Amino acid sequence: MASSFTVHAASGYEQLMGRWSRKLAPLFIDFAGLSAGEKILDVGCGTGSLTFELAKSAGLAEIQAIDFSAVFVEAARERNTDPRVTIQQADATALPFEDNTFDRALALLVLHFVPEAGKAVAEMRRVVRPGGVVAAVVWDHLGGMPGMRMMIDTVAALSESGRQMRSRYCFQPMMQPGEMKRTFVEQGLTDVTETQLMIRMDYENFDDYWAPIGAGEGPLGKYMTTLDAAERTRVEAAVRDAYQAGRPDGARSFANVAWACRGVVG
């Protein structure tokens, strides 16, 4: 499996998305549920936003975390001080665990970057015991991320390659209403529930917003690396104008919505 998420440095990811993942993680855990003594699997742990939020629950027996990116795995291991937590590199579509190993398998902001997302859900179901829970959450790129849409709509107005990038970005897997729920049902999960979770992304100024994108992090950053220097300058100036919206540079706040889905292993 290849992930469609581009990462160069863990610090860049933290500025791009990690800080927002940490805000979303507690809401997702509340939705997915936890009970004392459980063994939890974090699929696609990144730098550990969900892993270390789970570790705040003293009653959990074990937390296993996997990610496809060696960069993320190394960063998460460096942060870990909890003996209950184990972090390893692995493929979400071929999990290195026996059947019925966990009480819950959770995936925070990862399924939309897995080309075979249905297969990843099937693997999560496989490694969770009967009666256990599989849950996932993904951003609503099309309708729920105005801060990111601000950039991609600006870029789309500038070039055909920008329009193509927008189409890819807005219609990644699992992002349409009901799409994750259908996938969970197709993979044999029962009592499937889908809902929306919301956080706000607050930026100090345009540079705070733009720095990781300009450095090539994530899908929008990857697009920037395909442009020549003149076009990068043109895009940055246009996005800066959209961010500032005719006012002096400074703090901006954007509401962001994610789709969350939970099902029970039969």
Side-chain angles (χ1 to χ4, degrees):
M1 182 208 78
S3 170
S4 62
F5 189 90
T6 302
V7 57
H8 297 290
S11 59
Y13 170 80
E14 281 293 301
Q15 187 173 6
L16 176 70
M17 193 54 63
R19 52 182 165 168
W20 315 127
S21 301
R22 288 194 297 275
K23 290 182 71 172
L24 185 62
L27 303 182
F28 178 49
I29 290 171
D30 286 345
F31 171 72
L34 289 180
S35 294
E38 288 188 333
K39 297 173 62 176
I40 310 294
L41 174 63
D42 178 1
V43 176
C45 64
T47 53
S49 297
L50 178 60
T51 306
F52 300 122
E53 188 65 30
L54 287 166
K56 293 178 182 179
S57 298
L60 294 180
E62 180 182 329
I63 303 164
Q64 292 276 351
I66 68 102
D67 201 278
F68 189 72
S69 166
V71 173
F72 283 156
V73 169
E74 181 181 2
R77 283 176 172 169
E78 288 177 355
R79 289 180 58 194
N80 183 38
T81 59
D82 193 318
R84 297 172 301 161
V85 173
T86 302
I87 304 161
Q88 63 179 302
Q89 187 175 12
D91 185 337
T93 65
L95 294 171
F97 304 106
E98 298 294 327
D99 296 357
N100 308 328
T101 298
F102 298 98
D103 298 290
R104 298 175 201 264
L106 312 181
L108 175 77
L109 304 176
V110 65
L111 286 187
H112 48 317
F113 294 116
V114 179
E116 296 180 283
K119 190 173 181 181
V121 174
E123 276 291 273
M124 292 169 72
R125 179 188 183 277
R126 178 185 66 79
V127 300
V128 171
R129 63 168 175 78
V133 170
V134 171
V137 61
V138 303
W139 292 122
D140 177 4
H141 279 186
L142 177 67
M145 297 195 79
M148 295 297 107
R149 281 297 302 266
M150 177 182 68
M151 175 193 167
I152 65 169
D153 286 337
T154 299
V155 171
L158 297 177
S159 68
E160 176 59 28
S161 65
R163 286 188 285 276
Q164 293 173 6
M165 185 272 290
R166 178 173 62 183
S167 180
R168 292 191 302 271
Y169 181 82
C170 288
F171 294 97
Q172 287 178 259
M174 304 290 106
M175 289 187 172
Q176 302 311 300
E179 187 177 358
M180 266 203 300
K181 185 174 183 178
R182 287 193 299 274
T183 300
F184 274 42
V185 171
E186 289 168 359
Q187 298 303 331
L189 293 161
T190 62
D191 298 328
V192 178
T193 302
E194 187 176 78
T195 192
Q196 300 171 50
L197 305 176
M198 191 197 81
I199 66 163
R200 296 197 73 88
M201 295 183 180
D202 300 304
Y203 298 96
E204 295 179 6
N205 50 40
F206 178 72
D207 286 343
D208 187 31
Y209 169 88
W210 181 256
I213 298 170
E217 297 292 348
L220 305 184
K222 181 179 181 181
Y223 172 77
M224 291 298 297
T225 66
T226 69
L227 307 178
D228 61 32
E231 190 64 12
R232 286 197 299 272
T233 299
R234 179 176 178 235
V235 168
E236 180 176 349
V239 177
R240 180 186 294 272
D241 183 64
Y243 176 93
Q244 294 176 352
R247 298 292 179 91
D249 191 16
R252 302 290 189 271
S253 180
F254 303 94
N256 288 265
V257 175
W259 293 110
C261 194
R262 177 186 64 216
V264 177
V265 176

